[in-house]
Amino acid sequence: MTHKGLAKRIIPCLDVKNGETVKGTNFVNLRSAGNPVELGKAYSEAGADELVYLDITASFEGRKTFTDMVTRVAREINIPFTVGGGINSLEDVERLLYAGADKISVNSAAIRNPNLINEIARNFGSQVCVCAIDARNDEDGWHCYTKGGRERTDLTLMDWAREAEDRGAGEILFTSMDHDGVKQGFACEALAQLADSLSIPVIASGGAGTMEHFKEAATIGKADAMLAASVFHFGQIKIGELKHYLADEGINVRI
């Protein structure tokens, strides 16, 4: 189901490790290209609709640094932002929401303990629960993977997305592992299937290389939002230009 009339969102994604953004950037005017708050601000000023910050730190100390960063982001940035990575319990969710995050993204933990989705929705509302799904198109169809894409599960993409919606997830963030980092376009066919079988918004992730890819995700893929990292970080695609291009192509975006 597409959410007619709603503007399609453009969402830069920032991987954060021990308080610094990991993928390089060429935002020349930034004091530290690695500073996630400065970077988020630059994206916000460039017209991003939302941001996603993923904590890729393994350590407990790193988690605390990430929570401190969330507090700073919430103070400095006025667009909604989602945080994910290493969220395993309601306590984690609570800590990050109190720090100022708007939404929480759960991935492997939700597959291990699907009830986590119900608990987040029940305690904080569906609108804060984003279910991130990493899937790959294997010989026997699309399957979900956990542990950063290292471990295949028995769940198919469609079944798990529907279950996540039934349990109270407010959005699905679907990353196609085949397309991620390859810059050959989003997985439009799978996206369209998701859009047709769900009534919650679908965020497309993995594969952005050109402005046209965003257009395809919004039209052929029927995605509600498009997320990307390196094309934005390295300045290959500027958000303002992307939005004007999409608007010229008849796609509803906020300019």
Side-chain angles (χ1 to χ4, degrees):
M1 175 185 147
T2 45
H3 300 78
K4 300 250 183 299
L6 283 183
K8 305 278 185 183
R9 291 167 287 148
I10 302 296
I11 308 176
C13 178
L14 297 89
D15 287 341
V16 176
K17 190 172 187 180
N18 301 319
E20 290 284 296
T21 7
V22 236
K23 287 198 175 97
T25 73
N26 63 4
F27 266 119
V28 265
N29 56 347
L30 288 189
R31 286 194 297 280
S32 153
N35 180 325
V37 184
E38 294 283 319
L39 199 48
K41 232 163 143 173
Y43 280 135
S44 173
E45 283 156 14
D49 297 293
E50 295 185 19
L51 298 169
V52 169
Y53 286 98
L54 288 182
D55 183 9
I56 59 170
T57 315
S59 70
F60 181 71
E61 293 76 29
R63 294 270 176 264
K64 191 178 169 329
T65 311
F66 186 74
T67 309
D68 294 342
M69 180 215 78
V70 170
T71 308
R72 294 204 312 281
V73 171
R75 259 206 311 266
E76 302 269 341
I77 294 168
N78 52 13
I79 56 174
F81 70 101
T82 300
V83 297
I87 293 168
N88 295 302
S89 66
L90 217 48
E91 289 74 51
D92 292 331
V93 173
E94 205 161 44
R95 174 168 50 85
L96 293 161
L97 288 176
Y98 284 135
D102 297 280
K103 304 180 200 175
I104 301 297
S105 161
V106 287
N107 193 332
S108 298
I111 287 181
R112 276 197 309 274
N113 167 25
N115 209 33
L116 183 59
I117 296 174
N118 304 63
E119 288 179 3
I120 297 171
R122 200 167 41 240
N123 284 275
F124 305 106
S126 283
Q127 77 285 351
V128 310
C129 185
V130 177
C131 183
I133 303 177
D134 297 331
R136 201 166 76 189
N137 196 2
D138 296 326
E139 279 167 18
D140 54 351
W142 284 93
H143 275 78
C144 301
Y145 280 71
T146 55
K147 302 198 172 144
R150 286 191 299 277
E151 211 164 278
R152 179 178 143 131
T153 69
D154 294 334
L155 292 167
T156 69
L157 167 63
M158 294 303 148
D159 287 348
W160 174 234
R162 276 194 290 263
E163 181 178 338
E165 175 176 45
D166 291 343
R167 287 178 175 276
E171 285 182 282
I172 298 293
L173 195 176
F174 160 52
T175 301
S176 160
M177 292 162 53
D178 308 62
H179 297 71
D180 196 34
V182 194
K183 300 191 183 169
Q184 297 296 310
F186 294 93
C188 290
E189 217 173 296
L191 280 165
Q193 248 183 306
L194 281 173
D196 289 339
S197 61
L198 302 172
S199 56
I200 55 175
V202 176
I203 304 166
S205 159
T210 66
M211 294 207 225
E212 207 175 337
H213 292 153
F214 286 85
K215 176 182 122 177
E216 289 164 2
T219 52
I220 303 165
K222 305 178 186 178
D224 297 276
M226 285 76 72
L227 175 142
S230 58
V231 285
F232 293 145
H233 299 337
F234 293 113
Q236 283 141 323
I237 294 178
K238 300 206 165 32
I239 291 173
E241 287 169 22
L242 172 60
K243 285 191 154 185
H244 282 290
Y245 161 80
L246 292 173
D248 290 345
E249 295 290 325
I251 293 162
N252 178 8
V253 286
R254 278 188 213 91
I255 289 185

